[in-house]
Amino acid sequence: MSVASPAAPQVLESSLLDGVPARAQREDHEAWAEQASRVGHCHRPVKLVGQTHTIDRATGVILTTLDSNVLPDGVLYVKCGNRRATACPPCSREYGADMWHLLRAGAAGGEKGVPTSIVTHPMVFATLTAPSFGPVHALKRPGCTTRRCRPRSRRERCPHGVNLSCMATHQPGDAVIGQPFCVECYDYEAHVVWQWWAPELWRRFTIALPRVIANQLHVTQKMARRIVRVSFAKVGEYQQRGVIHFHAIIRLDGPADDLDPFRPR
Ligand SMILES: [Zn+2]
Ligand SMILES: [Zn+2]
Ligand SMILES: [Zn+2]
């Protein structure tokens, strides 16, 4: 789960840098800066052209109209909302912060109308990962038994003769991280199939778990729902090898608990 972190200073490409003085000198610079700020300085805002009306629901009367023609560059910016930091750092940070508060409320209570008594509920923080599709170079985090990538004492080789041991301590940003040792051996097909089915696998999991609980309680699912409710929250992330995995908080609530902060709002 990514948590909001301070924005790292970024170096602008020279082509963009050239445009800065020109933009700053324009008459509509202030309005433009206001627009950019309103979309959280999104890196790839969607540019809309046309009109938006605010309509009184009861009477159908148009209260205000915004025409993109009057805006700088003649466009209305809307944030891209991309969750990936590589696509848009500001939007992904905002999503991370929102997600953090949602998960925090669901796990600890004390915000979003969730009582702190929620901490007494049975709760599991699970990480659901894909199986191995073949060895890949890894960035080992502090706390791992070794920081070396894949140390093997005996020289292990794949059928293509590739050495499957790597004694390197890879650094963040190292291009080899997540790359297979042998592209011939790595099961790319299974990797792609996993990506495609990961959301469906999660959906099936949310269906299967209440069934398992009912089974354990020796009651029907309908009866089990009257005794216990399962609340889920999950965040999908890419591992270094580019495979989706899920971090999930799974909480059990009683029948009288009328709360579910995990539902997106
Ligand atoms: Zn964005
Ligand atoms: Zn390595
Ligand atoms: Zn191989």
Short mmCIF file of all heavy atoms in Angstrom, two decimals, residues 22 81 90 92 184 245 253:
data_model
loop_
_atom_site.label_atom_id
_atom_site.label_comp_id
_atom_site.label_asym_id
_atom_site.label_seq_id
_atom_site.Cartn_x
_atom_site.Cartn_y
_atom_site.Cartn_z
N ALA A 22 7.90 32.01 -20.99
CA ALA A 22 6.81 32.46 -21.87
C ALA A 22 5.47 32.33 -21.15
O ALA A 22 4.63 33.25 -21.18
CB ALA A 22 6.80 31.63 -23.15
N GLY A 81 -6.21 11.32 -12.44
CA GLY A 81 -6.62 10.34 -11.42
C GLY A 81 -5.87 9.02 -11.51
O GLY A 81 -6.29 8.03 -10.94
N PRO A 90 1.56 13.34 -8.78
CA PRO A 90 0.61 14.00 -7.86
C PRO A 90 -0.68 13.20 -7.67
O PRO A 90 -1.16 13.05 -6.55
CB PRO A 90 0.32 15.34 -8.53
CG PRO A 90 1.42 15.56 -9.48
CD PRO A 90 1.87 14.21 -9.92
N SER A 92 -1.19 9.97 -8.09
CA SER A 92 -0.97 8.71 -7.38
C SER A 92 -0.77 8.97 -5.90
O SER A 92 -1.20 8.19 -5.06
CB SER A 92 0.22 7.95 -7.97
OG SER A 92 1.43 8.50 -7.53
N GLU A 184 14.20 -17.40 -21.64
CA GLU A 184 13.68 -18.61 -22.27
C GLU A 184 12.86 -19.42 -21.27
O GLU A 184 11.84 -20.02 -21.60
CB GLU A 184 14.83 -19.50 -22.78
CG GLU A 184 15.71 -18.84 -23.83
CD GLU A 184 15.00 -18.66 -25.14
OE1 GLU A 184 14.19 -19.55 -25.50
OE2 GLU A 184 15.24 -17.64 -25.81
N HIS A 245 -0.13 -7.83 -7.19
CA HIS A 245 -0.48 -8.55 -5.98
C HIS A 245 -1.40 -7.66 -5.15
O HIS A 245 -1.49 -6.46 -5.39
CB HIS A 245 0.75 -9.04 -5.20
CG HIS A 245 1.57 -7.97 -4.55
ND1 HIS A 245 2.59 -8.24 -3.69
CD2 HIS A 245 1.52 -6.62 -4.64
CE1 HIS A 245 3.12 -7.12 -3.27
NE2 HIS A 245 2.51 -6.13 -3.84
N ASP A 253 -17.22 -8.36 11.22
CA ASP A 253 -18.10 -7.51 12.02
C ASP A 253 -19.30 -8.32 12.50
O ASP A 253 -19.68 -9.30 11.86
CB ASP A 253 -18.60 -6.32 11.18
CG ASP A 253 -17.46 -5.44 10.71
OD1 ASP A 253 -16.46 -5.33 11.44
OD2 ASP A 253 -17.57 -4.87 9.60
#
